[in-house]
């Protein structure tokens, strides 16, 4: 009798091992401005469980009696899901989504064009991106003043300029990290964050690995009527690999005045608007005064923008300079757009290079830059 029972239970176990359903395909769907959606195609409809767990935030999908030979990956650049893990759980296929921030999952069945059942997982009510807690930052980022800053009327345009590109690699790190790639990766991260905030619009001077003349960067930002201009770079020090940390630059008054001369010289060629005033029809003296006024105001705003971004960056990164740096960088020379340049770290320093190669660290930097911009905008609504 005992033997029989054992046999029966053994048989039951073997039966239970044969799975009812198989995963045919996993796919993340990214619809613009929406949270990502996970599509799981199966050969058979199966029972499932869907629930959330806290500390750390996870969403769990159990597909009963299901197997999969395919490994799902996390969606790209969504700031929602960090990682996707697969496991067995009493013959069930367990899918664990490690969340960057909490969101409410929902699941429903549809049928694919090939007539297979598809389980669709969607997310709602995601916590705002700027809450630092679920992002698991090593140093705390202060709460951005969301309530203070509600843009009215037109969208606020933030121009993001990824330094270098194409044949201009920028500086190159010890482990062959190219500045142009790091700059673009942080810029894209920043764009993603900005786009998820209502009333803000991000425009990029370059979105791929292309060479751009410096003037072209300015022109693209000005054409898009940018309210602020953020140029992103990485540094290098030829003499010492010990030098590390981030810094923030604005245009020096000297650079501004030499630029003013150039603008005046060129005023016949282009009917450029400075703060809504055309220079080309003004006489030299008046044009010079108008340009001066516009530039002084812009330098003041650039300094405020730089200060906000600097103190926000200081919460996630070592700062090589505690003060705003001033230089005659050409990309900062728009006379009517507050502009800053961020050196995000030193590729000549082993640790900085390692950090800048980490998507997690780059995201922290992007969030810090965003918080700084937002603080600035809350005090200086364009
Ligand atoms: Zn650079």
């Amino acid at each position: 009798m005992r033997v029989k029972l054992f046999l029966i239970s053994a048989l039951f176990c073997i039966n239970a091992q044969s799975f009812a359903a198989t995963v045919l395909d996993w796919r993340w769907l990214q619809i613009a401005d929406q949270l990502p959606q996970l599509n799981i195609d199966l050969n058979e409809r199966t029972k499932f469980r869907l629930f959330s767990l806290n500390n750390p935030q996870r969403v769990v999908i159990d597909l009963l009696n299901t197997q999969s030979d395919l490994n799902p990956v996390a969606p790209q650049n969504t700031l929602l899901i960090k990682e996707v893990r697969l496991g067995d759980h009493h013959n069930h296929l367990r899918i664990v989504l490690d969340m960057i921030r909490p969101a409410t999952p929902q699941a429903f069945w549809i049928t694919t064009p090939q007539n297979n059942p598809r389980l669709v997982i969607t997310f709602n009510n995601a916590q705002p991106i700027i809450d630092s807690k679920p992002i698991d930052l090593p140093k705390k980022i202060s709460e951005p003043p969301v309530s203070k800053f509600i843009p009215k009327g037109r969208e606020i345009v933030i121009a993001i300029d990824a330094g270098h590109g194409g044949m201009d690699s920028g500086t190159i790190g010890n482990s062959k990290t190219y500045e142009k790639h790091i700059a673009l990766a942080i810029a894209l991260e920043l764009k993603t964050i900005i786009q998820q905030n209502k009333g803000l619009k991000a425009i990029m001077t370059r979105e791929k690995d292309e060479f751009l003349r410096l003037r072209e960067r300015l022109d693209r930002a000005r054409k898009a009527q940018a309210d602020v201009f953020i140029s992103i770079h990485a540094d290098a020090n030829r003499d010492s690999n010990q030098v590390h940390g981030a810094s923030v630059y604005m245009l020096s008054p000297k650079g501004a005045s030499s630029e003013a001369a150039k603008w005046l010289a060129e005023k016949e060629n282009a009917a450029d608007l400075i703060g809504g005033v055309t220079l080309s029809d003004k006489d030299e003296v008046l044009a010079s005064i108008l340009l001066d006024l516009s530039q002084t105001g812009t330098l003041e705003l650039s300094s405020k923008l730089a200060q906000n971004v600097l103190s926000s960056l200081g919460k996630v990164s070592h700062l090589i300079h505690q003060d705003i740096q001033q230089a005659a960088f050409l990309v900062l020379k728009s006379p009517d757009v507050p502009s800053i340049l961020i050196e995000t770290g030193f590729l000549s320093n082993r640790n900085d290079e390692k950090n800048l190669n980490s998507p997690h660290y780059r995201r922290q930097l992007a969030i810090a830059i965003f918080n700084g911009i937002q603080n600035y905008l809350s005090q200086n609504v364009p």
Side-chain angles (χ1 to χ4, degrees):
M1 194 64 184
R2 248 163 216 265
V3 173
K4 227 178 185 176
L5 256 178
F6 171 75
L7 272 177
I8 289 167
S9 64
L11 214 69
F12 178 76
C13 280
I14 290 161
N15 268 340
Q17 282 299 327
S18 66
F19 295 97
T22 303
V23 173
L24 303 174
D25 194 20
W26 309 89
R27 212 163 283 253
W28 286 100
L29 211 68
Q30 183 68 63
I31 304 155
D33 297 336
Q34 283 177 34
L35 293 169
Q37 159 186 325
L38 177 59
N39 290 350
I40 308 172
D41 293 358
L42 296 143
N43 64 336
E44 295 278 345
R45 216 178 249 230
T46 182
K47 283 189 176 158
F48 70 89
R49 280 191 297 252
L50 176 70
F51 55 96
S52 295
L53 294 169
N54 294 326
N55 293 329
Q57 280 291 331
R58 282 154 294 163
V59 167
V60 179
I61 307 145
D62 278 341
L63 296 170
L64 274 56
N65 248 320
T66 301
Q67 62 174 347
S68 173
D69 296 329
L70 304 164
N71 272 325
V73 290
Q76 295 286 306
N77 285 329
T78 63
L79 298 182
L80 184 72
I81 291 147
K82 218 184 315 185
E83 215 178 319
V84 180
R85 294 178 285 130
L86 223 52
D88 285 327
H89 189 76
H90 310 302
N91 281 341
H92 308 319
L93 183 66
R94 170 159 283 191
I95 305 150
V96 182
L97 310 178
D98 292 317
M99 306 296 286
I100 293 168
R101 53 194 169 124
T104 315
Q106 267 182 327
F108 54 91
W109 288 103
I110 59 169
T111 305
T112 68
Q114 294 77 31
N115 236 353
N116 288 313
R118 169 178 290 169
L119 186 63
V120 178
I121 321 278
T122 60
F123 298 90
N124 287 306
N125 311 319
Q127 208 170 77
I129 215 125
I130 33 207
D131 192 318
S132 63
K133 239 180 163 181
I135 303 181
D136 192 26
L137 299 174
K139 291 185 191 178
K140 200 184 176 303
I141 286 182
S142 61
E143 290 255 329
V146 185
S147 53
K148 270 194 272 171
F149 168 55
I150 302 154
K152 287 184 188 123
R154 72 175 178 90
E155 280 179 319
I156 291 175
V157 181
I158 298 164
I160 310 168
D161 174 52
H164 312 276
M167 61 182 180
D168 170 17
S169 63
T171 192
I172 299 174
N174 294 319
S175 325
K176 300 280 171 289
T177 306
Y178 284 25
E179 179 187 356
K180 63 174 184 177
H181 296 319
I182 296 295
L184 184 59
I186 297 169
L188 287 170
E189 199 76 66
L190 179 59
K191 179 195 172 189
T192 306
I193 298 169
I194 290 168
Q195 298 290 49
Q196 290 178 5
N197 282 270
K198 247 192 164 168
L200 301 181
K201 184 181 162 190
I203 69 121
M204 308 271 292
T205 55
R206 71 172 174 104
E207 261 183 299
K208 51 180 194 283
D209 186 15
E210 67 172 325
F211 177 77
L212 268 186
R213 279 168 40 251
L214 292 172
R215 291 270 170 205
E216 236 168 289
R217 296 172 188 269
L218 290 188
D219 290 348
R220 288 188 185 186
R222 291 173 49 82
K223 257 188 208 122
Q225 299 191 299
D227 293 295
V228 292
F229 181 87
I230 314 284
S231 190
I232 294 174
H233 289 252
D235 228 332
N237 187 308
R238 249 174 259 166
D239 305 324
S240 167
N241 55 19
Q242 301 303 311
V243 178
H244 67 117
S247 50
V248 178
Y249 285 81
M250 62 175 279
L251 185 62
S252 59
K254 209 175 166 192
S257 60
S258 66
E259 183 68 5
K262 194 168 186 315
W263 275 71
L264 287 172
E266 281 176 356
K267 77 176 161 57
E268 279 81 20
N269 308 338
D272 283 292
L273 287 170
I274 310 278
V277 183
T278 305
L279 289 183
S280 51
D281 61 349
K282 307 286 184 297
D283 74 47
E284 199 100 331
V285 177
L286 180 56
S288 157
I289 290 168
L290 283 174
L291 186 54
D292 224 47
L293 280 174
S294 165
Q295 239 174 3
T296 309
T298 304
L299 280 180
E300 247 176 68
L301 290 174
S302 297
S303 150
K304 286 180 185 169
L305 176 62
Q307 192 53 60
N308 275 298
V309 171
L310 189 69
S311 45
S312 180
L313 269 177
K315 288 169 189 160
V316 296
S317 164
H318 170 74
L319 297 176
I320 174 162
H321 301 294
Q322 298 295 325
D323 307 324
I324 304 163
Q325 301 300 294
Q326 295 194 336
F329 286 126
L330 184 63
V331 283
L332 302 181
K333 286 185 174 178
S334 286
D336 50 354
V337 185
S339 305
I340 60 168
L341 185 146
I342 303 164
E343 296 283 5
T344 50
F346 280 79
L347 288 177
S348 48
N349 175 264
R350 198 171 297 277
N351 201 43
D352 272 13
E353 184 180 20
K354 197 176 128 228
N355 278 341
L356 290 170
N357 271 305
S358 142
H360 177 71
Y361 183 76
R362 289 198 300 262
R363 188 182 303 140
Q364 285 178 49
L365 282 180
I367 291 168
I369 295 168
F370 175 73
N371 282 342
I373 297 170
Q374 192 162 251
N375 281 335
Y376 161 82
L377 288 174
S378 71
Q379 299 148 12
N380 307 277
V381 181

